[in-house]
Amino acid sequence: MEKVGENVVKIFIDGIGDVYFNLQKYSTTISEEHKFIYYFDAEGRFMGGFFDGVSYRRGLDNRLMKKFFDKDGSKVKIFVGDEEKRKVIEDVIERVLKIRDALSGNEHEVLERLDEILKWDYKQLEKDGIKFFSVYKPISILPPDQYFSLVLQPAEGCSWNKCTFCSFYQDRRFRVKSPDEFLNHVKKVKEFFGRAIGLRKSIFLGDANALIIPQKRLVELIKIIHDEFPIGKSKNGFDHVFDGIYSFLDIFGAERKSYDEYVELRDLLLKKFK
């Protein structure tokens, strides 16, 4: 085993060649000769990879997106069917198992990471996708700068939900969670992510326009978030800090809050709304 970077080690494996392991705090990336690359979260879940010019990204709902360039050079993004998804995931697990079996036993941290990954076969990932929908309503859309946020849903749906160009929230009625219900939701989110929560950079309040929630209730719900997570500064029991709280807000909702209410939200580390 050769250390080739701060968190990167290289191991030569017969029949494969040089295999690189990027052992980050909240993720593991494995690269076979820099040609076949796949990565996992801190719990060992497959997150995606790059194989033969095709990029795959696995969602929390266990859908698998495929990105590639077609013959005309146009970028294509599609969700693959169950057959291809199974094939990709099972191939990755087979590769990890082959690497695991080839190691000598002296690479303790690498072996621990591989053993965690091998707990998540196709069947377990499918179960995890089902579990996602017991924790969340579908997360229809996020701002591009919030793709790595931890989404919490103090409200579900859209308070307006009449835009002719938008169908994101037509499958659910708008409602605001009670404090007890929201706390239960937050605890389920924490349990679902486990150690992989460290990959999330910020908190995003869903769904469509959570800041429409009346101020007294909204503040109560945001304080629950502060009780459960370190926002802006470290907190006992956590080794990861979220940089702030973000949300959508439409123009109609924006006009309902006063200047002082926005100051209060700023003081609760609400950083940006779109």
Side-chain angles (χ1 to χ4, degrees), residues 3-18:
K3 189 169 184 178
V4 295
E6 184 177 357
N7 299 293
V8 182
V9 297
K10 179 178 71 172
I11 302 174
F12 179 80
I13 296 177
D14 287 336
I16 299 177
D18 288 329

Side-chain angles (χ1 to χ4, degrees), residues 57-85:
R57 175 77 179 176
R58 177 184 168 272
L60 296 172
D61 58 2
N62 204 41
R63 290 190 299 169
L64 192 65
M65 176 174 280
K66 178 180 182 179
K67 301 179 184 179
F68 60 96
F69 289 95
D70 64 16
K71 294 179 181 179
D72 298 326
S74 300
K75 191 172 184 178
V76 179
K77 296 195 299 184
I78 59 172
F79 285 105
V80 306
D82 288 344
E83 184 177 348
E84 182 174 353
K85 179 175 67 173

Side-chain angles (χ1 to χ4, degrees), residues 76-127:
V76 179
K77 296 195 299 184
I78 59 172
F79 285 105
V80 306
D82 288 344
E83 184 177 348
E84 182 174 353
K85 179 175 67 173
R86 178 186 286 273
K87 182 178 179 181
V88 169
I89 292 174
E90 289 184 346
D91 182 56
V92 168
I93 296 302
E94 286 177 11
R95 287 174 176 273
V96 173
L97 183 59
K98 183 178 181 180
I99 293 169
R100 172 67 176 83
D101 290 344
L103 297 183
S104 65
N106 296 321
E107 305 88 355
H108 299 298
E109 185 176 3
V110 173
L111 287 169
E112 288 176 3
R113 300 276 184 123
L114 297 182
D115 286 341
E116 289 294 318
I117 290 166
L118 290 171
K119 294 177 183 177
W120 292 93
D121 59 11
Y122 179 81
K123 185 176 181 180
Q124 287 302 116
L125 290 173
E126 281 284 277
K127 288 181 179 178

